[in-house]
Amino acid sequence: MQYNPDLLKQYGVSEQELELASASEKEGIDQMRPSVTYWKDAFARFRRNKLAIVMFFLLLAIVLLAIFGPIVSPYTYKQQSKDLRQGPSLKHLLGTDNLGRDMFTRLMYGTRISLLVGVVTMVLVCLIGITYGGIAAYVGGLADNLMMRFVDLMMTIPSMLIIIILSVVLRDPMESLFNNPRFSGLATIGSGLISIFLVLALFNWLGMARAVRASLLMNRSQEYVLASEAMGAKSKWVLTKHLLPNSIGVIIISATGVVPGAIMTESFLSFIGLGVSAPMPSLGSMANTALNGIVSYPQYMLYPALLISMIILCFNILGDALRDALDPKMRK
Amino acid sequence: MLKYALKRLATSLLTIFLVVTLTFFLMQMVPGGPFLGENVNPKITERLLQQYGYDQPVIIQYWRYIKAMFHGDLGTSLVVKSGYSVMDVIWGAFPTSGKLGFIALGVALILGIPLGVFAAMKHGTVFDRVFIFLSSLFVSIPSFIMTILLMLVFASWLKWLPVAYLENWKSYILPISGMAVYPMFHLGRLTRTTMLDVVSQDYIVTARAKGLATPSIMFKHALRNAIIPVVTSLGPTIAGIMTGSFVVEKVFAIDGMGKYFVNSISSRDYPLIMGTTIFYGILLILCNYVVDLLYGVIDPRIKM
C-alpha cells in the first residue's frame, strides 16, 4: 500500500496509524449520489425557460434545413438559369439572384457554412482550451504561471486586427496547398473556410483555457477530493470521477459562448471580402454582393442579413439559458 | 499607483511590440511581391524592389521598418492611394473616424448605462422585460447588418436621413447609430446584471433603512460598484466600435480609416494594410491602458 507522503505530512499522521478500509466501507463510495441529479436539475431548469425552448426548436429547424435542404434541392449553389432576378415562385421559393442562381438553395448553403464555422470553432476551442487549461492546472507552479501569463498576453492583443491580417496572409498559401492533389479532400471544404477555422480557434481558446484551469483548481482544493484521496483514490480516478464531471458545466458554458461570436466574426470577414471564396456562398459574402444593388434589390440583402441575426439570436438565447441552468451559483 | 501605472505601461509596450512584429512577419509571408504583374520588364521590377528596399533580407527590412516607424513613417501606399505615404493617409482619415467612434462610444455609454440601471431598478416589470428582450435581440445583430438595415429603412425607404457622406448633422445620425446600437445594449445588459448583484448587498439595505430615496441609492451608492465591470469591458467595446466603423464607413461612403482599411484588404495594398493595422493596434492598446488606469482609480481596492 502506497500512501501519499505529502498528505500524511500535511495532516501529521504516520503511516502506522492508518488502516485499510473494509469492504463494507468501500461500498459507501460506490453508493454516492449519482451525478445524474445535477443534470436532471439543470434540465428541469432549462425546460422552464419557454423562450429557450422556442429558440431550440427554431435552431433545430434551421440546422435540419441546412443539412438536408441542399441534398433535396433540385439546384446547386452555383447552378445558373436564364431567369435572372426572379421574384419568389413555386420554381424558385425565394426567387433567383443577379446570376440566375436559386436564392433559397444558396441561403441553405450559406447557413451550412455559418453553422459549420460555429461548430468547428467550438470543437477546436474545446480541444485546445481543455488541454491547455488542464495541463496548466495539473503541472502547477512556475510552468502554470508562465502558461497563464502567455494567455494574459494573448488577451491583450487586439484579436480582430490579427484575425484580419491572418485571413489575408493565409488565403494564398492555403489555396496553393489545396491545389496539391494530396489534399484534394480538404479542397471541397474550401481554403477560405479552413483558414477561418484556424484563425477563429487561435483567438478563442483563451477564455476556455482560463475557465477550465480555474474550475479544475477550484474543485481540486475541495474537501471531497481530499476525502477521496484519503480513501486511496488514484489521480486518474480523481480526474475522471471528480474533477472533469464537475467542470463539464463550465466547459459547456464557455463552449456555447464561443459559437455566436465565431459566426459573427465569420460573417463580418466574408462581408469585407475575406473568408469563404466565391462561388461558395456564405451569408456574409451574400450580404456583401447584395450591397451593390441594395436600393433596387433590398431582398438580396434582407434574406442573408435576417438569417445571420436569427442564427446568432438562437445561440445567444440558448447560451444564456444553458448558463442559467448549469451554473451552480444560480441554484436556489 | 505609480508602480501599477508603470507596470501596465511596460506590458502595453510589450504588446505593441508584439503586434508590430507579428504584423510585419505575417505580411512577409504573403507570396508574390507588390510589383508582380503581366508584361512587366523584370529590370523595372528589380529597380522598384531596390527603390523600396524589398531586395534586402527580411531582418534588415524589419529593422528599417521599426526605425522608420519611430520617425512616424509607415511606408507608401501602393494601390488605394498610390504614391501617398501611409502616415498621410492615416492622418487625413483618422480625424473623421475618431470623431465618429468617439461620439458612438459616448452615445453608447450615456444611453446604455442609465438604461441598465433603470432596468435593474424596475426588476421584473414590463420595462425590464422589454429591455431584456430588446438587448438580446440587438446584441445578436452584427453591427454591419444593423448599419445596413438602418440605412435601408431610414435613408432608402423613409428618406428621412441622407444615404451617404458626412455633410450636415443629419448625416451623422445613421453612421453613429449603426456603430452605437450594439455596444449600447451590451453595456446596458452588463450594467443591469452587475446592478442586480450589487443591490442585494448589505450596504444597500442599510442605505434603504436610513430612508434614502431610491434614485439616490441607485446612482450614488450602487452604481459606483456596479460600474467597475462595465469599465473593464470598455476595452473590447472600443475594439468593437472600431470594427463596426470599417463597415459603417464602407456603407456610407465616408472617407475614414475604416474605408481605407477595407479597401486596402480587397486590393492587397500591403503597406497600407500593415500601417493601418499597426496604427489601430497601438491605438487600442493605449485605450486599454487608459481603461486599466481608470479601473484602478474607480476601485481603490485593486491591488496596485
PDB file of all heavy atoms in Angstrom, chain A residues 190-221:
ATOM      1  N   GLY A 190     -12.918  23.963 -48.847  1.00  0.00           N
ATOM      2  CA  GLY A 190     -12.542  25.290 -49.293  1.00  0.00           C
ATOM      3  C   GLY A 190     -11.441  25.875 -48.438  1.00  0.00           C
ATOM      4  O   GLY A 190     -11.474  25.782 -47.218  1.00  0.00           O
ATOM      5  N   SER A 191     -10.471  26.499 -49.114  1.00  0.00           N
ATOM      6  CA  SER A 191      -9.323  27.020 -48.377  1.00  0.00           C
ATOM      7  C   SER A 191      -9.717  28.172 -47.472  1.00  0.00           C
ATOM      8  O   SER A 191      -9.243  28.287 -46.356  1.00  0.00           O
ATOM      9  CB  SER A 191      -8.261  27.473 -49.370  1.00  0.00           C
ATOM     10  OG  SER A 191      -8.819  28.400 -50.268  1.00  0.00           O
ATOM     11  N   GLY A 192     -10.625  29.026 -47.951  1.00  0.00           N
ATOM     12  CA  GLY A 192     -11.031  30.175 -47.152  1.00  0.00           C
ATOM     13  C   GLY A 192     -11.607  29.736 -45.826  1.00  0.00           C
ATOM     14  O   GLY A 192     -11.295  30.277 -44.771  1.00  0.00           O
ATOM     15  N   LEU A 193     -12.444  28.693 -45.900  1.00  0.00           N
ATOM     16  CA  LEU A 193     -13.132  28.220 -44.711  1.00  0.00           C
ATOM     17  C   LEU A 193     -12.155  27.637 -43.703  1.00  0.00           C
ATOM     18  O   LEU A 193     -12.247  27.891 -42.503  1.00  0.00           O
ATOM     19  CB  LEU A 193     -14.154  27.159 -45.124  1.00  0.00           C
ATOM     20  CG  LEU A 193     -15.284  26.918 -44.152  1.00  0.00           C
ATOM     21  CD1 LEU A 193     -15.960  28.215 -43.793  1.00  0.00           C
ATOM     22  CD2 LEU A 193     -16.290  25.952 -44.739  1.00  0.00           C
ATOM     23  N   ILE A 194     -11.170  26.855 -44.224  1.00  0.00           N
ATOM     24  CA  ILE A 194     -10.217  26.237 -43.307  1.00  0.00           C
ATOM     25  C   ILE A 194      -9.396  27.294 -42.600  1.00  0.00           C
ATOM     26  O   ILE A 194      -9.158  27.217 -41.401  1.00  0.00           O
ATOM     27  CB  ILE A 194      -9.310  25.244 -44.054  1.00  0.00           C
ATOM     28  CG1 ILE A 194     -10.194  24.162 -44.647  1.00  0.00           C
ATOM     29  CG2 ILE A 194      -8.229  24.682 -43.137  1.00  0.00           C
ATOM     30  CD1 ILE A 194      -9.718  22.784 -44.521  1.00  0.00           C
ATOM     31  N   SER A 195      -8.983  28.346 -43.366  1.00  0.00           N
ATOM     32  CA  SER A 195      -8.205  29.371 -42.659  1.00  0.00           C
ATOM     33  C   SER A 195      -9.072  30.078 -41.626  1.00  0.00           C
ATOM     34  O   SER A 195      -8.575  30.490 -40.584  1.00  0.00           O
ATOM     35  CB  SER A 195      -7.530  30.361 -43.610  1.00  0.00           C
ATOM     36  OG  SER A 195      -8.256  30.559 -44.750  1.00  0.00           O
ATOM     37  N   ILE A 196     -10.359  30.209 -41.903  1.00  0.00           N
ATOM     38  CA  ILE A 196     -11.244  30.839 -40.907  1.00  0.00           C
ATOM     39  C   ILE A 196     -11.310  30.000 -39.637  1.00  0.00           C
ATOM     40  O   ILE A 196     -11.232  30.536 -38.526  1.00  0.00           O
ATOM     41  CB  ILE A 196     -12.648  31.044 -41.498  1.00  0.00           C
ATOM     42  CG1 ILE A 196     -12.597  32.204 -42.468  1.00  0.00           C
ATOM     43  CG2 ILE A 196     -13.648  31.324 -40.388  1.00  0.00           C
ATOM     44  CD1 ILE A 196     -13.838  32.972 -42.594  1.00  0.00           C
ATOM     45  N   PHE A 197     -11.432  28.682 -39.801  1.00  0.00           N
ATOM     46  CA  PHE A 197     -11.458  27.811 -38.613  1.00  0.00           C
ATOM     47  C   PHE A 197     -10.215  28.038 -37.767  1.00  0.00           C
ATOM     48  O   PHE A 197     -10.293  28.251 -36.565  1.00  0.00           O
ATOM     49  CB  PHE A 197     -11.469  26.325 -38.996  1.00  0.00           C
ATOM     50  CG  PHE A 197     -12.711  25.871 -39.696  1.00  0.00           C
ATOM     51  CD1 PHE A 197     -12.685  24.788 -40.564  1.00  0.00           C
ATOM     52  CD2 PHE A 197     -13.915  26.503 -39.474  1.00  0.00           C
ATOM     53  CE1 PHE A 197     -13.823  24.365 -41.206  1.00  0.00           C
ATOM     54  CE2 PHE A 197     -15.068  26.092 -40.113  1.00  0.00           C
ATOM     55  CZ  PHE A 197     -15.010  25.018 -40.990  1.00  0.00           C
ATOM     56  N   LEU A 198      -9.054  27.986 -38.440  1.00  0.00           N
ATOM     57  CA  LEU A 198      -7.788  28.113 -37.723  1.00  0.00           C
ATOM     58  C   LEU A 198      -7.697  29.451 -37.002  1.00  0.00           C
ATOM     59  O   LEU A 198      -7.378  29.526 -35.820  1.00  0.00           O
ATOM     60  CB  LEU A 198      -6.611  27.976 -38.706  1.00  0.00           C
ATOM     61  CG  LEU A 198      -6.456  26.612 -39.358  1.00  0.00           C
ATOM     62  CD1 LEU A 198      -5.303  26.622 -40.347  1.00  0.00           C
ATOM     63  CD2 LEU A 198      -6.228  25.547 -38.291  1.00  0.00           C
ATOM     64  N   VAL A 199      -8.015  30.508 -37.758  1.00  0.00           N
ATOM     65  CA  VAL A 199      -7.863  31.851 -37.215  1.00  0.00           C
ATOM     66  C   VAL A 199      -8.797  32.070 -36.029  1.00  0.00           C
ATOM     67  O   VAL A 199      -8.417  32.632 -35.008  1.00  0.00           O
ATOM     68  CB  VAL A 199      -8.142  32.866 -38.343  1.00  0.00           C
ATOM     69  CG1 VAL A 199      -8.377  34.228 -37.783  1.00  0.00           C
ATOM     70  CG2 VAL A 199      -7.002  32.893 -39.323  1.00  0.00           C
ATOM     71  N   LEU A 200     -10.046  31.588 -36.166  1.00  0.00           N
ATOM     72  CA  LEU A 200     -11.007  31.779 -35.072  1.00  0.00           C
ATOM     73  C   LEU A 200     -10.601  30.976 -33.847  1.00  0.00           C
ATOM     74  O   LEU A 200     -10.711  31.444 -32.719  1.00  0.00           O
ATOM     75  CB  LEU A 200     -12.413  31.387 -35.520  1.00  0.00           C
ATOM     76  CG  LEU A 200     -13.090  32.368 -36.468  1.00  0.00           C
ATOM     77  CD1 LEU A 200     -14.465  31.875 -36.863  1.00  0.00           C
ATOM     78  CD2 LEU A 200     -13.223  33.725 -35.795  1.00  0.00           C
ATOM     79  N   ALA A 201     -10.125  29.746 -34.079  1.00  0.00           N
ATOM     80  CA  ALA A 201      -9.730  28.915 -32.938  1.00  0.00           C
ATOM     81  C   ALA A 201      -8.552  29.557 -32.208  1.00  0.00           C
ATOM     82  O   ALA A 201      -8.473  29.547 -30.988  1.00  0.00           O
ATOM     83  CB  ALA A 201      -9.368  27.513 -33.407  1.00  0.00           C
ATOM     84  N   LEU A 202      -7.656  30.166 -33.005  1.00  0.00           N
ATOM     85  CA  LEU A 202      -6.422  30.723 -32.442  1.00  0.00           C
ATOM     86  C   LEU A 202      -6.680  31.789 -31.385  1.00  0.00           C
ATOM     87  O   LEU A 202      -5.910  31.936 -30.448  1.00  0.00           O
ATOM     88  CB  LEU A 202      -5.614  31.336 -33.596  1.00  0.00           C
ATOM     89  CG  LEU A 202      -4.153  31.591 -33.330  1.00  0.00           C
ATOM     90  CD1 LEU A 202      -3.433  30.297 -33.108  1.00  0.00           C
ATOM     91  CD2 LEU A 202      -3.536  32.347 -34.489  1.00  0.00           C
ATOM     92  N   PHE A 203      -7.778  32.546 -31.522  1.00  0.00           N
ATOM     93  CA  PHE A 203      -8.002  33.626 -30.574  1.00  0.00           C
ATOM     94  C   PHE A 203      -9.161  33.367 -29.626  1.00  0.00           C
ATOM     95  O   PHE A 203      -9.479  34.207 -28.799  1.00  0.00           O
ATOM     96  CB  PHE A 203      -8.207  34.954 -31.302  1.00  0.00           C
ATOM     97  CG  PHE A 203      -6.911  35.585 -31.687  1.00  0.00           C
ATOM     98  CD1 PHE A 203      -6.397  35.405 -32.955  1.00  0.00           C
ATOM     99  CD2 PHE A 203      -6.190  36.308 -30.762  1.00  0.00           C
ATOM    100  CE1 PHE A 203      -5.191  35.958 -33.305  1.00  0.00           C
ATOM    101  CE2 PHE A 203      -4.980  36.861 -31.104  1.00  0.00           C
ATOM    102  CZ  PHE A 203      -4.474  36.688 -32.372  1.00  0.00           C
ATOM    103  N   ASN A 204      -9.828  32.215 -29.753  1.00  0.00           N
ATOM    104  CA  ASN A 204     -10.995  31.991 -28.906  1.00  0.00           C
ATOM    105  C   ASN A 204     -10.773  30.987 -27.791  1.00  0.00           C
ATOM    106  O   ASN A 204     -11.634  30.817 -26.939  1.00  0.00           O
ATOM    107  CB  ASN A 204     -12.185  31.558 -29.766  1.00  0.00           C
ATOM    108  CG  ASN A 204     -12.868  32.737 -30.397  1.00  0.00           C
ATOM    109  OD1 ASN A 204     -13.182  33.699 -29.732  1.00  0.00           O
ATOM    110  ND2 ASN A 204     -13.061  32.677 -31.711  1.00  0.00           N
ATOM    111  N   TRP A 205      -9.623  30.292 -27.799  1.00  0.00           N
ATOM    112  CA  TRP A 205      -9.426  29.248 -26.794  1.00  0.00           C
ATOM    113  C   TRP A 205      -9.002  29.813 -25.448  1.00  0.00           C
ATOM    114  O   TRP A 205      -9.035  29.129 -24.433  1.00  0.00           O
ATOM    115  CB  TRP A 205      -8.394  28.225 -27.266  1.00  0.00           C
ATOM    116  CG  TRP A 205      -7.028  28.800 -27.505  1.00  0.00           C
ATOM    117  CD1 TRP A 205      -6.565  29.332 -28.664  1.00  0.00           C
ATOM    118  CD2 TRP A 205      -5.953  28.921 -26.567  1.00  0.00           C
ATOM    119  NE1 TRP A 205      -5.285  29.790 -28.511  1.00  0.00           N
ATOM    120  CE2 TRP A 205      -4.879  29.543 -27.229  1.00  0.00           C
ATOM    121  CE3 TRP A 205      -5.792  28.560 -25.231  1.00  0.00           C
ATOM    122  CZ2 TRP A 205      -3.663  29.820 -26.608  1.00  0.00           C
ATOM    123  CZ3 TRP A 205      -4.574  28.841 -24.608  1.00  0.00           C
ATOM    124  CH2 TRP A 205      -3.540  29.469 -25.298  1.00  0.00           C
ATOM    125  N   LEU A 206      -8.599  31.113 -25.441  1.00  0.00           N
ATOM    126  CA  LEU A 206      -8.041  31.689 -24.221  1.00  0.00           C
ATOM    127  C   LEU A 206      -9.019  31.642 -23.048  1.00  0.00           C
ATOM    128  O   LEU A 206      -8.671  31.211 -21.947  1.00  0.00           O
ATOM    129  CB  LEU A 206      -7.620  33.131 -24.496  1.00  0.00           C
ATOM    130  CG  LEU A 206      -6.640  33.282 -25.652  1.00  0.00           C
ATOM    131  CD1 LEU A 206      -6.603  34.710 -26.144  1.00  0.00           C
ATOM    132  CD2 LEU A 206      -5.255  32.857 -25.199  1.00  0.00           C
ATOM    133  N   GLY A 207     -10.263  32.052 -23.322  1.00  0.00           N
ATOM    134  CA  GLY A 207     -11.263  32.076 -22.263  1.00  0.00           C
ATOM    135  C   GLY A 207     -11.517  30.678 -21.725  1.00  0.00           C
ATOM    136  O   GLY A 207     -11.614  30.458 -20.512  1.00  0.00           O
ATOM    137  N   MET A 208     -11.604  29.721 -22.663  1.00  0.00           N
ATOM    138  CA  MET A 208     -11.850  28.329 -22.278  1.00  0.00           C
ATOM    139  C   MET A 208     -10.709  27.803 -21.390  1.00  0.00           C
ATOM    140  O   MET A 208     -10.954  27.176 -20.352  1.00  0.00           O
ATOM    141  CB  MET A 208     -11.990  27.472 -23.539  1.00  0.00           C
ATOM    142  CG  MET A 208     -12.067  25.998 -23.295  1.00  0.00           C
ATOM    143  SD  MET A 208     -13.599  25.496 -22.514  1.00  0.00           S
ATOM    144  CE  MET A 208     -14.578  25.099 -23.930  1.00  0.00           C
ATOM    145  N   ALA A 209      -9.459  28.085 -21.792  1.00  0.00           N
ATOM    146  CA  ALA A 209      -8.318  27.595 -21.005  1.00  0.00           C
ATOM    147  C   ALA A 209      -8.360  28.145 -19.585  1.00  0.00           C
ATOM    148  O   ALA A 209      -8.177  27.411 -18.615  1.00  0.00           O
ATOM    149  CB  ALA A 209      -7.010  27.987 -21.686  1.00  0.00           C
ATOM    150  N   ARG A 210      -8.654  29.450 -19.484  1.00  0.00           N
ATOM    151  CA  ARG A 210      -8.746  30.068 -18.164  1.00  0.00           C
ATOM    152  C   ARG A 210      -9.848  29.420 -17.337  1.00  0.00           C
ATOM    153  O   ARG A 210      -9.640  29.091 -16.163  1.00  0.00           O
ATOM    154  CB  ARG A 210      -9.076  31.557 -18.315  1.00  0.00           C
ATOM    155  CG  ARG A 210      -7.874  32.422 -18.350  1.00  0.00           C
ATOM    156  CD  ARG A 210      -8.325  33.862 -18.296  1.00  0.00           C
ATOM    157  NE  ARG A 210      -7.186  34.759 -18.427  1.00  0.00           N
ATOM    158  CZ  ARG A 210      -7.298  36.055 -18.565  1.00  0.00           C
ATOM    159  NH1 ARG A 210      -8.488  36.606 -18.601  1.00  0.00           N
ATOM    160  NH2 ARG A 210      -6.224  36.802 -18.676  1.00  0.00           N
ATOM    161  N   ALA A 211     -11.015  29.260 -17.958  1.00  0.00           N
ATOM    162  CA  ALA A 211     -12.168  28.730 -17.212  1.00  0.00           C
ATOM    163  C   ALA A 211     -11.885  27.306 -16.740  1.00  0.00           C
ATOM    164  O   ALA A 211     -12.171  26.956 -15.592  1.00  0.00           O
ATOM    165  CB  ALA A 211     -13.411  28.781 -18.083  1.00  0.00           C
ATOM    166  N   VAL A 212     -11.318  26.479 -17.639  1.00  0.00           N
ATOM    167  CA  VAL A 212     -11.052  25.082 -17.285  1.00  0.00           C
ATOM    168  C   VAL A 212     -10.033  25.007 -16.155  1.00  0.00           C
ATOM    169  O   VAL A 212     -10.225  24.288 -15.174  1.00  0.00           O
ATOM    170  CB  VAL A 212     -10.554  24.291 -18.515  1.00  0.00           C
ATOM    171  CG1 VAL A 212      -9.994  22.947 -18.114  1.00  0.00           C
ATOM    172  CG2 VAL A 212     -11.684  24.108 -19.502  1.00  0.00           C
ATOM    173  N   ARG A 213      -8.957  25.785 -16.282  1.00  0.00           N
ATOM    174  CA  ARG A 213      -7.936  25.769 -15.233  1.00  0.00           C
ATOM    175  C   ARG A 213      -8.534  26.189 -13.895  1.00  0.00           C
ATOM    176  O   ARG A 213      -8.344  25.523 -12.869  1.00  0.00           O
ATOM    177  CB  ARG A 213      -6.789  26.708 -15.608  1.00  0.00           C
ATOM    178  CG  ARG A 213      -5.760  26.862 -14.515  1.00  0.00           C
ATOM    179  CD  ARG A 213      -4.666  27.822 -14.920  1.00  0.00           C
ATOM    180  NE  ARG A 213      -3.821  28.168 -13.801  1.00  0.00           N
ATOM    181  CZ  ARG A 213      -4.106  29.126 -12.936  1.00  0.00           C
ATOM    182  NH1 ARG A 213      -5.226  29.820 -13.066  1.00  0.00           N
ATOM    183  NH2 ARG A 213      -3.289  29.389 -11.938  1.00  0.00           N
ATOM    184  N   ALA A 214      -9.290  27.305 -13.912  1.00  0.00           N
ATOM    185  CA  ALA A 214      -9.868  27.806 -12.663  1.00  0.00           C
ATOM    186  C   ALA A 214     -10.791  26.758 -12.045  1.00  0.00           C
ATOM    187  O   ALA A 214     -10.738  26.504 -10.842  1.00  0.00           O
ATOM    188  CB  ALA A 214     -10.627  29.092 -12.926  1.00  0.00           C
ATOM    189  N   SER A 215     -11.604  26.133 -12.890  1.00  0.00           N
ATOM    190  CA  SER A 215     -12.567  25.166 -12.371  1.00  0.00           C
ATOM    191  C   SER A 215     -11.854  23.937 -11.801  1.00  0.00           C
ATOM    192  O   SER A 215     -12.219  23.430 -10.730  1.00  0.00           O
ATOM    193  CB  SER A 215     -13.524  24.770 -13.486  1.00  0.00           C
ATOM    194  OG  SER A 215     -14.213  23.625 -13.136  1.00  0.00           O
ATOM    195  N   LEU A 216     -10.819  23.459 -12.512  1.00  0.00           N
ATOM    196  CA  LEU A 216     -10.075  22.289 -12.025  1.00  0.00           C
ATOM    197  C   LEU A 216      -9.408  22.598 -10.684  1.00  0.00           C
ATOM    198  O   LEU A 216      -9.502  21.825  -9.733  1.00  0.00           O
ATOM    199  CB  LEU A 216      -9.009  21.868 -13.040  1.00  0.00           C
ATOM    200  CG  LEU A 216      -9.510  21.204 -14.318  1.00  0.00           C
ATOM    201  CD1 LEU A 216      -8.344  20.864 -15.229  1.00  0.00           C
ATOM    202  CD2 LEU A 216     -10.298  19.954 -14.006  1.00  0.00           C
ATOM    203  N   LEU A 217      -8.766  23.773 -10.611  1.00  0.00           N
ATOM    204  CA  LEU A 217      -8.066  24.128  -9.368  1.00  0.00           C
ATOM    205  C   LEU A 217      -9.049  24.308  -8.219  1.00  0.00           C
ATOM    206  O   LEU A 217      -8.787  23.905  -7.088  1.00  0.00           O
ATOM    207  CB  LEU A 217      -7.263  25.415  -9.566  1.00  0.00           C
ATOM    208  CG  LEU A 217      -6.004  25.281 -10.402  1.00  0.00           C
ATOM    209  CD1 LEU A 217      -5.272  26.602 -10.472  1.00  0.00           C
ATOM    210  CD2 LEU A 217      -5.095  24.205  -9.832  1.00  0.00           C
ATOM    211  N   MET A 218     -10.226  24.900  -8.553  1.00  0.00           N
ATOM    212  CA  MET A 218     -11.234  25.134  -7.523  1.00  0.00           C
ATOM    213  C   MET A 218     -11.710  23.788  -6.956  1.00  0.00           C
ATOM    214  O   MET A 218     -11.770  23.603  -5.735  1.00  0.00           O
ATOM    215  CB  MET A 218     -12.391  25.919  -8.145  1.00  0.00           C
ATOM    216  CG  MET A 218     -13.270  26.623  -7.164  1.00  0.00           C
ATOM    217  SD  MET A 218     -14.683  25.620  -6.772  1.00  0.00           S
ATOM    218  CE  MET A 218     -15.694  25.850  -8.244  1.00  0.00           C
ATOM    219  N   ASN A 219     -12.020  22.861  -7.862  1.00  0.00           N
ATOM    220  CA  ASN A 219     -12.511  21.561  -7.394  1.00  0.00           C
ATOM    221  C   ASN A 219     -11.412  20.763  -6.698  1.00  0.00           C
ATOM    222  O   ASN A 219     -11.677  19.999  -5.776  1.00  0.00           O
ATOM    223  CB  ASN A 219     -13.053  20.749  -8.571  1.00  0.00           C
ATOM    224  CG  ASN A 219     -14.419  21.235  -8.983  1.00  0.00           C
ATOM    225  OD1 ASN A 219     -15.289  21.405  -8.143  1.00  0.00           O
ATOM    226  ND2 ASN A 219     -14.584  21.500 -10.265  1.00  0.00           N
ATOM    227  N   ARG A 220     -10.175  20.968  -7.183  1.00  0.00           N
ATOM    228  CA  ARG A 220      -9.043  20.230  -6.640  1.00  0.00           C
ATOM    229  C   ARG A 220      -8.885  20.509  -5.140  1.00  0.00           C
ATOM    230  O   ARG A 220      -8.480  19.665  -4.369  1.00  0.00           O
ATOM    231  CB  ARG A 220      -7.792  20.680  -7.405  1.00  0.00           C
ATOM    232  CG  ARG A 220      -6.498  19.995  -7.092  1.00  0.00           C
ATOM    233  CD  ARG A 220      -6.405  18.681  -7.842  1.00  0.00           C
ATOM    234  NE  ARG A 220      -5.236  17.923  -7.428  1.00  0.00           N
ATOM    235  CZ  ARG A 220      -5.130  17.345  -6.248  1.00  0.00           C
ATOM    236  NH1 ARG A 220      -6.103  17.444  -5.384  1.00  0.00           N
ATOM    237  NH2 ARG A 220      -4.039  16.650  -5.941  1.00  0.00           N
ATOM    238  N   SER A 221      -9.218  21.752  -4.745  1.00  0.00           N
ATOM    239  CA  SER A 221      -8.999  22.129  -3.349  1.00  0.00           C
ATOM    240  C   SER A 221     -10.215  21.847  -2.467  1.00  0.00           C
ATOM    241  O   SER A 221     -10.217  22.189  -1.298  1.00  0.00           O
ATOM    242  CB  SER A 221      -8.648  23.613  -3.269  1.00  0.00           C
ATOM    243  OG  SER A 221      -9.726  24.363  -3.769  1.00  0.00           O
TER     244      SER A 221
END
